[in-house]
Amino acid sequence: MVSAEIIAVGSELLTPEKSDTNSLWITDKLNLAGIEVVLKTIVGDDREKLSRVVSDALSRTDVVVVTGGLGPTEDDITREGVAVGVGRELVFRQDLLDELRERFKQFGYEMPETNRRQAYVIDGAEVLHNPNGSAPGMLLRSEGKLIGVLPGPPREMRPMFEKHVLPAAKELSGDIVVLRRSLRVNGLGESKLDEMIAPIYTKYTNPATSTLFSKTDIEIQFTARAESVEEADSLIETVSKEVCDVLGDAVYSTNGEDLEVVVGRMLNQKALTLALAESCTGGLIATRLTDVPGASGFLMEGLVTYSNGAKIRRLGVPESTIDAHGAVSSETAEAMASGARESSGVDVAVSVTGIAGPDGGTEDKPVGTVFVGLSDSRGTISKRFKLIGDREMIRWRSSQAALEILRRRLLEDEC
């Protein structure tokens, strides 16, 4: 199997403020082309270190993709570093300099002399023209190996990669098709999930199966390799169906969709309207749902009733309920949901109230205690959750719990 390494250049990528998102995007594209990314490296603005990393990468992999460091300033060292790493010289290209000058002229500027550095390319490299920026990329072939040198900004890098580097890499990988499909699962822990499905997926080497735990759910990912899309899809369908049969309603998506997308589609298909009454989530459920195209067809309104007074004034929660049971209770959650449904005139309303922390917990109701309420034509229900994590995690998991309660209620209509 053809292997690849990705090298991201830039000292800023070694700080907490900047993330290397290019490597994730490139990895996905290469994997789907049947090329396995075996190593990713971030190198600061150091020519010597970069040259060693490039040399080492070429000694063990077939495809090397370098991103970043092709700008006009002194700390843009990728050209020189890669040239040393592949054992070649830099050569000056007058035509590239002329193109750069003309581009600056078109925008009404005179080209700074520092941009002259961008007219130097590695000897023997194919120059990849950049319609979205000033830095040209390069594509080199050496002893059966492929080296792509690309600018760092995604809007410049991505078109260049897809037009030039990916087709060349596919020539090395041949006619292998790689297909990936994801199941999304709610309500099960990672160990329990694996206990249930390991007897199934371990029977298969193709597709390969992996489980990914996120802050809200678990993703089961199947990756198949075959000579055609149809064959790969059939391989995935076989194991996916077995897994779905075992997990049942815990699987909320068979194609990797987020829960809010699934719930939004169900509401639209059933022509049902929704209102939200949020406390500890602070509008997060509404944010997730309004990210879904077509949300205006089902989401009528959302209220963030964070204080006890807001719960009483806006939702009609009886003050006696809060006094007797507390703002974080099943009684309050149900009163919030029924109040939101009555005041907005919707088909279904969902509420959430809880203690996200880090303070505010008690022995009876520790941090992470969350109640979700739901009210519809069949009545009003609530469920208590004990969620773990920091404040952000608890809020996210609370929003997931609320959406899952709603999904389950909508599934009951189909029974």
Side-chain angles (χ1 to χ4, degrees):
M1 182 178 180
V2 175
S3 61
E5 291 191 30
I6 302 171
I7 302 170
V9 182
S11 295
E12 71 279 3
L13 298 175
L14 296 170
T15 68
E17 290 77 26
K18 189 75 171 178
S19 299
D20 171 31
T21 57
N22 283 343
S23 291
L24 299 175
W25 185 86
I26 294 170
T27 296
D28 183 59
K29 296 295 182 180
L30 289 173
N31 285 347
L32 293 176
I35 299 169
E36 182 182 12
V37 175
V38 296
L39 191 65
K40 300 178 186 180
T41 307
I42 296 177
V43 185
D45 300 321
D46 187 306
R47 292 177 181 83
E48 184 178 346
K49 287 185 174 62
L50 176 57
S51 65
R52 289 203 301 268
V53 169
V54 170
S55 179
D56 290 344
L58 287 173
S59 71
R60 61 190 170 226
T61 50
D62 308 295
V63 178
V64 178
V65 182
V66 184
T67 65
L70 292 178
T73 61
E74 284 295 326
D75 62 347
D76 290 309
I77 48 82
T78 296
R79 282 176 291 270
E80 296 92 333
V82 174
V84 173
V86 300
R88 300 189 186 185
E89 299 291 330
L90 286 176
V91 295
F92 175 72
R93 289 274 299 267
Q94 182 63 47
D95 60 321
L96 292 180
L97 182 62
D98 293 341
E99 287 180 18
L100 281 170
R101 289 191 190 281
E102 181 60 28
R103 176 169 295 181
F104 275 90
K105 183 178 178 181
Q106 289 174 356
F107 288 99
Y109 297 100
E110 183 178 345
M111 188 195 80
E113 280 306 305
T114 54
N115 285 84
R116 185 181 181 89
R117 294 166 54 87
Q118 294 176 301
Y120 284 86
V121 297
I122 300 171
D123 189 24
E126 175 188 348
V127 175
L128 309 180
H129 293 278
N130 183 357
N132 300 305
S134 62
M138 290 171 276
L139 188 64
L140 297 86
R141 292 175 173 82
S142 177
E143 299 179 357
K145 305 295 182 73
L146 183 70
I147 308 103
V149 185
L150 307 174
R155 69 182 186 88
E156 301 177 35
M157 181 277 293
R158 292 184 179 187
M160 199 177 291
F161 178 86
E162 290 191 306
K163 183 176 181 179
H164 302 285
V165 180
L166 188 58
K170 285 181 176 179
E171 291 177 7
L172 295 179
S173 64
D175 296 326
I176 297 297
V177 171
V178 179
L179 197 63
R180 186 178 297 124
R181 189 192 304 174
S182 295
L183 303 182
R184 302 287 291 275
V185 181
N186 240 338
L188 291 172
E190 196 169 12
S191 57
K192 178 61 176 178
L193 174 74
D194 196 61
E195 182 182 277
M196 295 173 69
I197 68 172
I200 299 172
Y201 72 74
T202 52
K203 296 187 299 183
Y204 302 89
T205 56
N206 187 21
T209 301
S210 59
T211 56
L212 310 172
F213 183 74
S214 76
K215 59 187 175 184
T216 54
D217 63 6
I218 300 177
E219 182 177 353
I220 307 171
Q221 196 171 89
F222 305 108
T223 304
R225 303 176 187 277
E227 294 183 357
S228 68
V229 172
E230 292 76 17
E231 182 184 353
D233 187 65
S234 177
L235 291 169
I236 291 176
E237 183 62 28
T238 298
V239 63
S240 175
K241 185 178 185 305
E242 288 187 49
V243 168
C244 286
D245 287 344
V246 168
L247 296 179
D249 289 345
V251 178
Y252 69 80
S253 173
T254 58
N255 60 1
E257 289 179 320
D258 291 328
L259 184 55
E260 55 265 32
V261 175
V262 174
V263 169
R265 182 169 56 245
M266 294 174 75
L267 287 165
N268 271 331
Q269 288 174 346
K270 296 173 183 292
L272 296 175
T273 53
L274 172 70
L276 301 169
E278 302 186 56
S279 184
C280 64
T281 47
L284 181 56
I285 304 170
T287 297
R288 292 179 64 177
L289 286 171
T290 52
D291 282 341
V292 178
S296 60
F298 61 84
L299 183 59
M300 297 297 102
E301 62 182 66
L303 292 170
V304 179
T305 52
Y306 209 66
S307 68
N308 290 349
K311 294 177 178 65
I312 295 167
R313 290 192 309 274
R314 301 297 185 184
L315 300 172
V317 177
E319 187 173 356
S320 58
T321 297
I322 296 178
D323 290 341
H325 305 284
V328 180
S329 64
S330 60
E331 290 82 1
T332 297
E334 290 180 12
M336 290 171 65
S338 60
R341 179 169 178 260
E342 182 178 348
S343 64
S344 60
V346 296
D347 298 303
V348 58
V350 173
S351 67
V352 60
T353 179
I355 306 168
D359 304 315
T362 66
E363 185 176 346
D364 292 336
K365 298 175 183 177
V367 170
T369 300
V370 174
F371 291 88
V372 174
L374 184 146
S375 182
D376 62 11
S377 60
R378 289 170 289 173
T380 301
I381 60 172
S382 62
K383 184 174 181 180
R384 176 174 179 156
F385 295 87
K386 177 60 180 76
L387 305 176
I388 60 173
D390 58 16
R391 183 177 179 84
E392 179 188 9
M393 188 72 75
I394 289 170
R395 293 178 68 248
W396 264 97
R397 288 176 172 171
S398 298
S399 72
Q400 189 81 353
L403 290 170
E404 177 65 2
I405 289 287
L406 177 55
R407 182 182 76 94
R408 294 279 183 168
R409 190 72 159 189
L410 295 173
L411 283 175
E412 293 175 6
D413 294 338
E414 300 173 1
C415 297

